Amino acid sequence: MLKCNINGVDLEVPEGTKLIEAFLKAEQKIAHYCWHPGLSVAGVCRLCMCEIEGNPRLQIACNTEVQEGMVASNQSEKVKETVRWGMDFHLINHPLDCPICDQAGECGLQEQYMEYGQYTPSMAHAKVKKRKVVSLGSKVVLDSERCILCSRCVRFTDEVTKTHELGIFNRGDKSEIGTFHDKPLENKYAVNTVDICPVGALTSKEFRFKQRVWYLKDEKTVCPGCSTGCSVKVYHNQEGLFRVKPEYDAEVNEHWMCDEGRGVFDWVNRQNRQSYSVNAENMEKPSSSELKLILTAQQTVEEYESLFEYLKSSNKKVEVYYWKNNPDKFDDFDNLLIRGDKNPNTKGLLETAVKHDITLNPFSGFDGFESFEGDIWFILPENKAVYPLYEQYVEKALKLENNLTIFAVPKVKVDKTKKNISILPLKTYFEKDGHFLNFNGLKRQLKPGPLQVSSALALNEWVSFVKSDDFGDQVDLLSKRKSEGFRKKNEMTQTGGGL
Amino acid sequence: MSVEVKRKDQNQSWLLPSVLSGMSLTFGKMWGNLFNRKKMPTLNYPEEKYEYGPRFKGNHVLTVKKDGSLRCTACMLCATNCPADCITIIASEHDNEEVEKFPIHYEIDILRCVFCGFCEEACPVDAIRMGPEWQSPALNGGSFVYDIRHLAFRSELRGGIESRLDDAERHKAGI
Ligand code: SF4
Ligand code: SF4
Ligand code: SF4
Ligand code: SF4
Ligand code: FES
């Protein structure tokens, strides 16, 4: 450990720490663009200036390692003046695009200008015009005028994905970001460049112009896209969910996430959901003493716990079937984040099943169910996109003559005159409490966000309904909810236009 | 707490003088207006209408560019600033990369509007102004939600009001 003093704050940092990290650790403000904790040091933006005792020249904090007894500060007028001029140089050719720019509201340039801006521009010449709205592949759009050439995006493709698509071309004020031979930027992590771009030079095609960022709230949760279980932030408002960004998690995803995971918010939105229950009263009828249950590894550990406890305590003859979407690809891994097992909680399911002594039979369609007379519970996966046989199985299930209960997040089209089928809406990962165990058994907690569908319940809540004696009352309550808009108050109403 | 009850003024108990003074005022004004109509302070609305000054904050106008397209860049600053929450904008990608972003849907619910003028003040490009019109009759509630067609191209505007700030000029000046 090395002792140092930053702006008068004494602290100890491990050897090899950069001065900028010491500044941030001491909770001192320091201007910076090109330095990113997940990437190598470039030292190109020249904003992280600081004064080191014994050194007559100002130094950049991102490329200076802390030495024993170092005394550094960035409070003097000299440093502030330098940063102000550095900032002004960045703005020489910057367009005044903020009203159109998607980054406005979370822009590094805007934020740091408020702090370190020159406010009286001294540039007398016309701005250099560069390419605007350049499509870099199917996910990212580039605006070269807004780029401040911090090279974060280039370093990301060089160091993290190692795909080397991006580069800086030309020299001087003609420098521009681009791809070699205009080959598209098509890797599975491309949208991370949008996150790390400190300005609005790189924007995401999916999110572009959908919302202004100040209309969005974020909620920290876990990505249910695969068994890696990246920590993410989901951005939402009263109109629904709009985007997903990674959240720093040292043990799992560090600063990054994959592009596929950014699309997994869509099924949470109300328009794609089963929003009411069908024939819920079926659940209280004295039903047969045999039960077949089909489940996937997309529920939380808490839900499996309560489900298995119920199955054990009821004196029914139960058979549990485990529906695996792509068993042959379960162990795939791309050496960065993406895993072939597209379920967030496979480990949790297997461990809970062992704990409750439940045998999981492989599920491979409804063949062999013809002679079966008892009840069937079918718990559908939330992320139906990764279940290639989803439509086929649901269609088959809806033809069954058994007393069938479907727990569903996505919409299920059912003939309401068929009294043997009941459909119960489920909550999604964004709305429920509980935790997932990721591929190596790390526990990742979900936080309940605002409910998108008022009648949805988590599986454990449904099970406690089924267990309780007054299920009939509860069903009444549910239908009341539907008709009277019960619980509307704490639900986000999706009327649209309420910006 | 005790409340002191004021005794009635002796004069007030005499009804007739008050009635007569009221009547004389009424009839005085009536004769005055009948024989000296120029000095009459009221208007014969709706045949006669009062012209407000150009700074009057009445119904909104969306300005247009030289080529007649909407000036609005769909930045949503007006909607953010609006205290009555009555502006709805849906933005979209424009074919022209110089324009980049424009509103495909812009609505003001004029019944919710409090005519504060904050939208006009927030707009960075002089795309929304509040004009001198203040009468907005309509036959049903839906007609009080003004869309782009009404806000920018209603017949009273005779083809649209041109914005003071044009991007083409800004680019030419190298800003
Ligand atoms: S990058 Fe930042 S400063 Fe530049 S136009 Fe966009 S929001 Fe404005
Ligand atoms: S595009 Fe963004 S991340 Fe890349 S160099 Fe320019 S400013 Fe930096
Ligand atoms: S005048 Fe005020 S209330 Fe009316 S639209 Fe503008 S900001 Fe909203
Ligand atoms: S009217 Fe002005 S403030 Fe409102 S969205 Fe259009 S450009 Fe922005
Ligand atoms: S952050 Fe140090 S030079 Fe850019």
Side-chain angles (χ1 to χ4, degrees), chain A residues 23-58:
Chain A
F23 265 96
L24 297 176
K25 199 174 166 200
E27 291 175 357
Q28 298 297 317
K29 272 191 195 146
I30 182 160
H32 65 277
Y33 285 132
C34 66
W35 179 79
H36 186 277
L39 300 171
S40 67
V41 173
V44 291
C45 75
R46 317 307 288 183
L47 280 193
C48 57
M49 290 293 178
C50 68
E51 229 169 0
I52 301 167
E53 219 176 77
N55 191 334
R57 276 175 63 103
L58 298 184

Side-chain angles (χ1 to χ4, degrees), chain B residues 62 72-78 89 106 122-125 127-128:
Chain B
L62 285 183
C72 175
T73 61
C75 67
M76 313 207 185
L77 292 184
C78 51
I89 306 169
Y106 190 114
C123 182
V125 293
I128 189 163

Side-chain angles (χ1 to χ4, degrees), chain A residues 94-98 101-105 107-110 146 199-201:
Chain A
H94 196 83
L96 294 165
D97 257 357
C98 305
C101 182
D102 233 20
Q103 190 86 359
C107 172
L109 215 44
Q110 284 183 332
R146 291 182 203 145
V199 294

